[in-house]
Amino acid sequence: GLRETIKVEEAAAAAKDGGNKPVAAATVEKKVVEVQLKDYSWDQSDKFVKIYLTGLAGLDKCPNDNVKVTYTNDSVSVRLGPLSDTNNKVFIFSIRKTSHNINPDKSYHKVKSDYLLLFLSKDNPGSKWSHMTFAEKSAADAKKQSDDMKFDDKADPSAGLMNMMKKMYDEG
């Protein structure tokens, strides 16, 4: 659109002036738009839980300094961007509490052309995560308890086995 063209021209003009005048930087800084990434998919192996943050076209051209990932033993937060000088979007993603503990020292990420791949190192390798977040897991556990009262024919048959295994694992 027209508005975007103007932004790009302003950015180009700022760049021609040397671009590193503090005033220019301050005005450019203010235009950063923070975008919360809510969609993600995830997968797991024995050692890692992998989170895919998709829809980030051009991520591979993003300066390394603009990709910040912070891990704790039960959370991960990501700040990406701007992906380029002409882009003012900063993408933010976080899981405040993972359903199980992770090992921050062994966790890492990989930048792909249009997605970011986070490798959360499982604190208990070999375990299976039923959910990504503690909140989802708690909600599911609560729902499961109420569902146990009434037989649910739509239940996933392998879920019962997983829960039994998990119970054995937790209590064993």
Side-chain angles (χ1 to χ4, degrees), residues 4-139:
E4 283 162 25
T5 319
I6 293 169
K7 268 191 203 149
V8 172
E9 282 167 8
E10 281 173 16
K16 272 195 203 97
D17 298 340
N20 43 8
K21 283 188 211 137
V23 180
T27 49
V28 172
E29 205 63 29
K30 276 190 199 120
K31 284 190 189 154
V32 167
V33 179
E34 291 192 349
V35 180
Q36 199 82 32
L37 293 172
K38 291 199 167 59
D39 295 337
Y40 65 92
S41 51
W42 64 286
D43 188 9
Q44 61 188 320
S45 63
D46 281 347
K47 294 186 181 144
F48 291 96
V49 173
K50 294 173 277 203
I51 299 179
Y52 300 84
L53 296 178
T54 52
L56 299 167
L59 184 61
D60 54 343
K61 297 179 186 62
C62 182
N64 276 342
D65 295 347
N66 291 3
V67 179
K68 292 186 179 60
V69 185
T70 313
Y71 305 95
T72 72
N73 61 357
D74 66 352
S75 76
V76 58
S77 63
V78 177
R79 193 179 167 88
L80 295 175
L83 299 185
S84 67
D85 299 339
T86 53
N87 193 320
N88 63 343
K89 278 199 186 91
V90 171
F91 298 96
I92 298 189
F93 172 80
S94 69
I95 290 178
R96 288 191 191 84
K97 192 166 171 53
T98 49
S99 62
H100 299 275
N101 278 4
I102 58 178
N103 180 335
D105 302 331
K106 292 188 180 158
S107 299
Y108 63 99
H109 66 274
K110 281 190 178 158
V111 172
K112 304 292 188 179
S113 64
D114 58 355
Y115 67 95
L116 182 70
L117 183 49
L118 303 173
F119 290 85
L120 307 186
S121 176
K122 291 181 177 179
D123 198 39
N124 45 356
S127 65
K128 286 278 176 272
W129 288 28
S130 54
H131 298 83
M132 189 67 226
T133 68
F134 183 76
E136 289 165 347
K137 184 177 178 299
S138 303

